[in-house]
Amino acid sequence: MGEKILFDHKELDLSLNRLCWQLIENHCGFENTVLIGMQPRGYFLAQRIQERLLELTSVKEISLGSLDITFFRDDFRRRDEPVVANQTDINFLVEGKNVIFIDDVLYTGRSIRAGMDAINSFGRPQQIELLVLIDRRFSRELPIEPNYVGKTVDAIDTEKVLVEWSNTNNKNDLVRLIRE
Amino acid sequence: MGTLSVDHLVGIKDLSEQDIDLIFQTADNFKSVLNRPIKKVPSLRDITIANLFFENSTRTRLSFELAEKRLSADVVNFSAASSSVKKGETLIDTVNNILAMKVDMVVMRHPNPGAAKFLAENVNSQIVNAGDGAHEHPTQALLDSFSIREKLGTVKGKKVVIVGDISHSRVALSNIFCLQKLGAEVMVCGPATLIPKYIKDLNVRVEHDLRKALEWCDVANMLRIQLERMDVNYFPSLREYTMLYGLNKDLLDSLSKKIVVMHPGPINRGVEISSAVADGKQAIILDQVENGVAIRMAVIYLLAQKNKRQE
């Protein structure tokens, strides 16, 4: 089992900054834009992005919600391991809004498909965009592509990309590639 | 963790505390689904469920049917009154005929205790017991405990009194098992004729004085007098029962603390509970009904998860 560091905390910090500026460029005041973190791991990233956006702009408030896609997955009764649902916390309607899905790793694209299905329970968004920290290209099973990418990675199926967020100190943030 | 230890839901007796916790956690998620503008998830798109009701029911049947539809399952309903059961078909034959039409799960209510267990052992399908005679009514007990947890934060350490017709009540038995597994103290209260002789073996307290029972408890679950199951007279008159065991506003207000009042329905207003209490602030009767759908969604979802798709 080998392992490689894809992002240390400095690179991660730079990429987050760049992603935020790209969002600001496209959505300026965020009046009609909401951030949705995909549960469980995308929500951490979404929180960081929301904090950073508030620092970088004079905007007072940016809506952030978390979306759990467990009940919308397409592999129910096909998996060996059961999945436990997480909390969905969206206390606003997304009707007519620009929704930005935020996830840590984009792999097959199936979670995002389920997410697009799930978000419809909260209204019909005007537009959905996708922001990911890591894009594992060449492993897509559905025609889904991100709009904002932290880093593109070529990894084979037996490898796993793990994003670790520390609660207290950003210096421990890390993205690792693990070979099994 | 993440999966139930049983393949069928026959009774609370078979469940572990972890199973009940898992059902509650899943029901929390479904409850939030039920409060969205669109109250439906696609999880059970490829599952067909038959609701077999050999005994009358409004709430439970509707609640199960809604739960199934909210999960996107296909549903067929069957009630004994309009079926070939009247022509003498056996239970196994009836169910096997329905299963031959490719049904994945059966929700059954039956007047005979043990019917769900019998079916689980004899047919090739997942069984959910929606009440079998005076034996168990597991989803009712789960939703009752879930409602207590929601109202009081936890079930552990709470004192719950079940009042009324304990002998004929499947709700009472399932509730006793469920509450005890979750660490609550249980008391039953009612006339001696309606309390089974050996109930103390289940480690529950017995009290015949309603006021004393209510002073002791945090939660009172008022059961319905089941006149349809009574072949002899267990008490002199309904009026006398109401005087001794009916919960009215004066009695509730005279207690030294505010207790939570529950009722599994259907209510005989003015018999076991007065209208003022049933519609009052301390009653969570309609919360119980709302939670019933979320609990049944959780049970069906978790059982279906165990039934892996055959490729």
Side-chain angles (χ1 to χ4, degrees), chain B residues 119-157:
Chain B
L119 214 56
E121 285 167 358
N122 288 291
V123 302
N124 182 24
S125 169
Q126 290 186 296
I127 309 294
V128 180
N129 183 3
D132 57 336
H135 178 222
E136 280 226 45
H137 189 353
T139 53
Q140 178 70 43
L142 288 167
L143 76 89
D144 286 345
S145 289
F146 184 78
S147 302
I148 295 174
R149 167 183 175 266
E150 186 179 72
K151 183 78 181 173
L152 301 176
T154 175
V155 179
K156 202 178 180 77

Side-chain angles (χ1 to χ4, degrees), chain B residues 211-212 214-217 250-259 282:
Chain B
R211 174 176 289 277
K212 281 187 193 161
L214 295 176
E215 282 291 356
W216 172 84
C217 73
D250 291 342
L251 177 56
L252 194 63
D253 289 345
S254 71
L255 299 176
S256 56
K257 58 181 173 183
K258 290 234 180 275
I259 59 165
Q282 281 163 265

Side-chain angles (χ1 to χ4, degrees), chain A residues 71-72 77-78 80 121-122, chain B residues 36-37 42-43 307-309:
Chain A
F71 302 129
F72 294 84
R77 296 174 63 223
R78 291 165 180 81
D80 292 327
S121 300
F122 298 89
Chain B
R36 291 177 191 169
S43 305
N307 177 16
K308 274 201 81 185
R309 202 182 143 89

Side-chain angles (χ1 to χ4, degrees), chain B residues 53-61 79-81 109 111 170 224 228-229:
Chain B
F53 280 74
F54 295 91
E55 199 180 66
N56 291 338
S57 160
T58 325
R59 194 179 341 262
T60 306
R61 193 165 63 84
S79 70
R109 167 165 291 188
R170 51 192 172 216
R224 180 177 65 95
E228 76 275 18
R229 286 188 213 283

Side-chain angles (χ1 to χ4, degrees), chain B residues 180-191:
Chain B
Q180 287 183 339
K181 283 183 193 225
L182 294 173
E185 275 186 79
V186 186
M187 178 189 276
V188 293
C189 175

Side-chain angles (χ1 to χ4, degrees), chain A residues 88 90-93 121-122, chain B residues 27-40 70 146 150 290-291 293-294 297:
Chain A
T88 290
I90 301 180
N91 54 11
F92 44 83
L93 279 182
S121 300
F122 298 89
Chain B
D28 282 334
N29 290 311
F30 283 126
K31 191 158 182 190
S32 92
V33 169
L34 292 174
N35 285 310
R36 291 177 191 169
I38 293 175
K39 303 164 178 53
K40 193 162 176 156
R70 303 281 195 228
F146 184 78
E150 186 179 72
E290 183 187 344
N291 290 336
V293 180
M297 285 173 83

Side-chain angles (χ1 to χ4, degrees), chain B residues 4 9 44 90 108 134 143 153-154 164 174 177 187 199 228 234 247 262 265 268 278 290:
Chain B
L4 292 179
L9 181 64
L44 265 65
T90 66
M108 183 176 73
L143 76 89
T154 175
S174 286
F177 289 141
M187 178 189 276
I199 191 97
E228 76 275 18
Y234 289 87
L247 180 56
M262 303 172 72
N268 292 318
E290 183 187 344

